[in-house]
Amino acid sequence: MVFYLFMLLLLLGSTLVFYSLSPYYAALGLMISSLFGCVVLTSLGLTFLALLLLLIYMGGMLVVFVYSSALSADRYPMVSNLGEVVLLFLLLSFWVLFIFEDFLESSTLFNLLSPLNDLSSLSVLYDYGGAYLLVGGLALLVVLIVALVVSYGSSLLALRAL
Amino acid sequence: MNRLVNAFLLTSLIAGTSLVIFSNHWFPIWLGLELSTLSIIPLLSYTSQSRSVEATLKYFLVQAFSAALLLNGAVLNLWISNSWDVNSITSPISYFIITAALIIKLGLAPCHFWFPDVLSGLPFLSTIIIACWQKIAPMFLLLSLSNLVSSEIIIVCSILSVLVGGWGGLNQISVRKILAYSSIGHLGWITCVAFFIPEVSYLLFLFYILNNTAILLICHNGSLYYLSSLSKSNVIPITAILFSIALLSLGGLPPLGGFINKVIPLIVFSLNGNNFIIPFFLIGSLISLFFYIRIVFNTSLTLFPQHSLNIVSFRTGNSSLSQPIISTLIPITIWGLLLLPIFFLFI
């Protein structure tokens, strides 16, 4: 039952992302949804993926997103419609609950103390999938250069029109 | 832009498309599509004019969304069939999601709305990359998927594309928008054959790419951005004649090479007994023929009152690099019909 509570909080986070008026609340929703996504992953036994997601997503991408939304936000923003967000979230979760009622009776076993199921496939990523990792890294290098060129533009001022 | 950065981005563009063509695992395919999208963003927007920047933004949003949809379909296919292999699309739902993503990427109707907007905001050399090179990777994927699962969604989308390409280009005055709608219509013709014999679609796609590149290069040479500038263009006379021939070939008139793009699909449809869809294609291409002839009319068949020394331009100075490329591509439009027997290898 607690498992479904975590998934419901994930849904709350994503509702906050797409329904809130201000980008700050959207970033808060991203944080909530990634945090509870990690908790869901951990309760399924995939602890390494959860930690990876937390570090890279929250520690890297989300910080960049918050800074860029702080740069691009409105001058006099409408701040929050949290009441509507929570109402929408409750309506969505009750809708799912009333349609898919059967899953509440089934029991879900947590494997909190199981062996780490994700490490065996992670090793394949570095072994047979080494070429994919290399190409992915090269693609990220291209992304870095593209981001620099786009934000510097033709002169060395920061944050051009794009 | 810095020459080194330019070369790097063009190399990664070619690498991205090659990565899509040469792999049979979904991850490098997605990676190659994203790589080719990302690496042309600076190439499209380096002038910082607001039209180019807006077109780049629209292009990036559409392509990123469709690449994410493609990855979603690939992971769904992994869940159902336990394989990352491209050749193991077994379930209809994952095939549908992946095909929808590729249709958005190609700009087939009903997902064509971004294409004329993006093309009309970019200068002609960028248009060549978007309209010709960037279609190679998703078209390749669509045709190789058609080898495995034949689904009628391709026929529906191609019929819609041909009709949209015909009717959409009617009231346009911007040459780039006209060429965008013509591109949508041609892709409709090409993808419909994929339902029957996908190998033939590769051939038709190659013809279309060469023809379109030639026309766009000629338009780039003469800066033919609007219909009003067609009669005042200062291209050298042989290019003007070849431009008209290339456009009529794009319209599919018989002794020219572009007729292959029309006659091979019609033969394939009627050999498979599918005569019902032929009128839609004929109506769409007839309407698009009208605006090709409108361009030809404004280029070569009208003569506005002007000084007689302006009629023939002796200066060939501004042709430089693209003239040999144009001269290589144009013979396909003139003698292309002689290549028709290649098609009979595939039947």
Side-chain angles (χ1 to χ4, degrees):
Chain A
M1 197 63 180
V2 188
F3 188 67
Y4 297 113
L5 177 67
F6 292 145
M7 292 213 283
L8 276 182
L9 288 168
L10 185 63
L11 179 67
L12 171 67
S14 41
T15 312
L16 199 58
V17 169
F18 74 82
Y19 204 72
S20 55
L21 291 172
S22 157
Y24 304 106
Y25 283 88
L28 176 70
L30 273 180
M31 266 190 223
I32 290 177
S33 57
S34 67
L35 183 67
F36 286 106
C38 293
V39 170
V40 164
L41 280 176
T42 312
S43 63
L44 288 172
L46 309 169
T47 54
F48 181 79
L49 271 171
L51 284 173
L52 196 69
L53 196 70
L54 206 66
L55 267 179
I56 306 299
Y57 194 75
M58 293 255 271
M61 278 173 52
L62 206 56
V63 172
V64 172
F65 175 76
V66 169
Y67 273 115
S68 58
S69 71
L71 277 168
S72 63
D74 306 334
R75 204 166 172 202
Y76 300 108
M78 291 183 287
V79 176
S80 85
N81 52 353
L82 260 182
E84 295 178 18
V85 169
V86 171
L87 182 64
L88 179 62
F89 156 69
L90 286 175
L91 284 174
L92 281 173
S93 55
F94 283 141
W95 175 59
V96 170
L97 205 63
F98 286 131
I99 292 181
F100 301 102
E101 213 180 288
D102 311 327
F103 70 87
L104 283 181
E105 278 110 32
S106 64
S107 67
T108 55
L109 298 170
F110 292 119
N111 27 9
L112 280 171
L113 302 174
S114 72
L116 301 163
N117 294 325
D118 48 351
L119 283 185
S120 56
S121 39
L122 184 67
S123 61
V124 178
L125 178 67
Y126 287 92
D127 184 7
Y128 294 106
Y132 299 137
L133 209 54
L134 178 68
V135 171
L138 288 174
L140 283 176
L141 175 67
V142 175
V143 172
L144 169 69
I145 293 181
V146 164
L148 282 175
V149 170
V150 160
S151 58
Y152 271 55
S154 51
S155 66
L156 290 175
L157 301 173
L159 288 175
R160 303 286 298 178
L162 199 59
Chain B
M1 210 163 47
N2 193 3
R3 258 174 218 264
L4 193 57
V5 175
N6 224 347
F8 179 75
L9 291 171
L10 280 173
T11 310
S12 60
L13 172 65
I14 298 175
T17 308
S18 314
L19 205 54
V20 174
I21 295 180
F22 292 128
S23 54
N24 58 355
H25 186 283
W26 279 111
F27 184 72
I29 289 179
W30 169 75
L31 197 67
L33 287 172
E34 292 275 50
L35 192 61
S36 63
T37 305
L38 280 168
S39 59
I40 54 167
I41 288 177
L43 295 176
L44 300 179
S45 68
Y46 73 96
T47 53
S48 304
Q49 295 174 0
S50 58
R51 284 182 73 97
S52 304
V53 167
E54 177 188 345
T56 312
L57 208 57
K58 281 182 196 168
Y59 179 73
F60 172 67
L61 283 176
V62 169
Q63 300 283 312
F65 170 72
S66 54
L69 204 59
L70 183 96
L71 189 64
N72 196 4
V75 169
L76 191 64
N77 187 44
L78 172 71
W79 190 23
I80 294 176
S81 70
N82 198 24
S83 167
W84 279 107
D85 200 355
V86 178
N87 299 324
S88 72
I89 303 285
T90 49
S91 63
I93 177 69
S94 60
Y95 175 76
F96 178 72
I97 292 179
I98 294 173
T99 310
L102 292 173
I103 286 173
I104 300 174
K105 264 195 187 294
L106 279 173
L108 287 177
C111 311
H112 66 280
F113 296 97
W114 60 276
F115 196 58
D117 285 334
V118 165
L119 275 197
S120 70
L122 299 170
F124 269 116
L125 285 179
S126 313
T127 308
I128 294 178
I129 301 179
I130 302 283
C132 299
W133 180 265
Q134 288 289 86
K135 300 215 179 294
I136 291 179
M139 181 60 89
F140 189 85
L141 273 177
L142 194 66
L143 297 179
S144 60
L145 284 180
S146 300
N147 261 325
L148 309 167
V149 178
S150 294
S151 165
E152 288 80 9
I153 184 177
I154 290 185
I155 299 188
V156 169
C157 288
S158 55
I159 291 178
L160 281 174
S161 303
V162 170
L163 294 175
V164 161
W167 264 302
L170 273 185
N171 202 20
Q172 308 290 344
I173 54 172
S174 160
V175 171
R176 288 171 288 181
K177 276 211 165 89
I178 288 181
L179 291 174
Y181 281 106
S182 89
S183 171
I184 294 173
H186 271 269
L187 280 179
W189 276 94
I190 294 170
T191 51
C192 199
V193 188
F195 182 78
F196 303 101
I197 313 175
E199 290 84 6
V200 170
S201 282
Y202 290 109
L203 192 72
L204 302 176
F205 185 59
L206 182 66
F207 263 98
Y208 160 69
I209 292 262
L210 296 173
N211 211 349
N212 215 12
T213 310
I215 290 177
L216 287 169
L217 277 174
I218 296 176
C219 289
H220 167 69
N221 258 356
S223 292
L224 308 172
Y225 286 99
Y226 294 99
L227 284 184
S228 52
S229 56
L230 281 176
S231 54
K232 305 183 204 111
S233 60
N234 56 349
V235 294
I236 60 178
I238 188 66
T239 310
I241 299 174
L242 294 178
F243 182 56
S244 310
I245 290 183
L247 269 170
L248 292 176
S249 157
L250 202 61
L253 292 184
L256 305 173
F259 184 55
I260 284 193
N261 254 332
K262 307 284 190 293
V263 75
I264 289 180
L266 292 179
I267 293 178
V268 168
F269 298 155
S270 51
L271 278 180
N272 282 287
N274 205 345
N275 295 319
F276 177 70
I277 57 178
I278 292 183
F280 298 105
F281 284 94
L282 293 180
I283 289 173
S285 59
L286 191 65
I287 301 178
S288 56
L289 185 63
F290 169 72
F291 54 76
Y292 293 133
I293 292 184
R294 171 192 271 167
I295 300 182
V296 170
F297 181 78
N298 279 315
T299 309
S300 320
L301 301 176
T302 54
L303 199 60
F304 290 92
Q306 57 189 310
H307 201 254
S308 59
L309 283 178
N310 286 341
I311 297 178
V312 180
S313 72
F314 298 100
R315 300 179 186 277
T316 61
N318 60 347
S319 305
S320 60
L321 185 62
S322 37
Q323 198 61 36
I325 304 178
I326 297 173
S327 313
T328 320
L329 295 173
I330 290 288
I332 294 180
T333 66
I334 301 178
W335 290 301
L337 204 54
L338 296 171
L339 294 173
L340 186 60
I342 292 180
F343 161 66
F344 293 105
L345 288 172
F346 293 103
I347 298 189

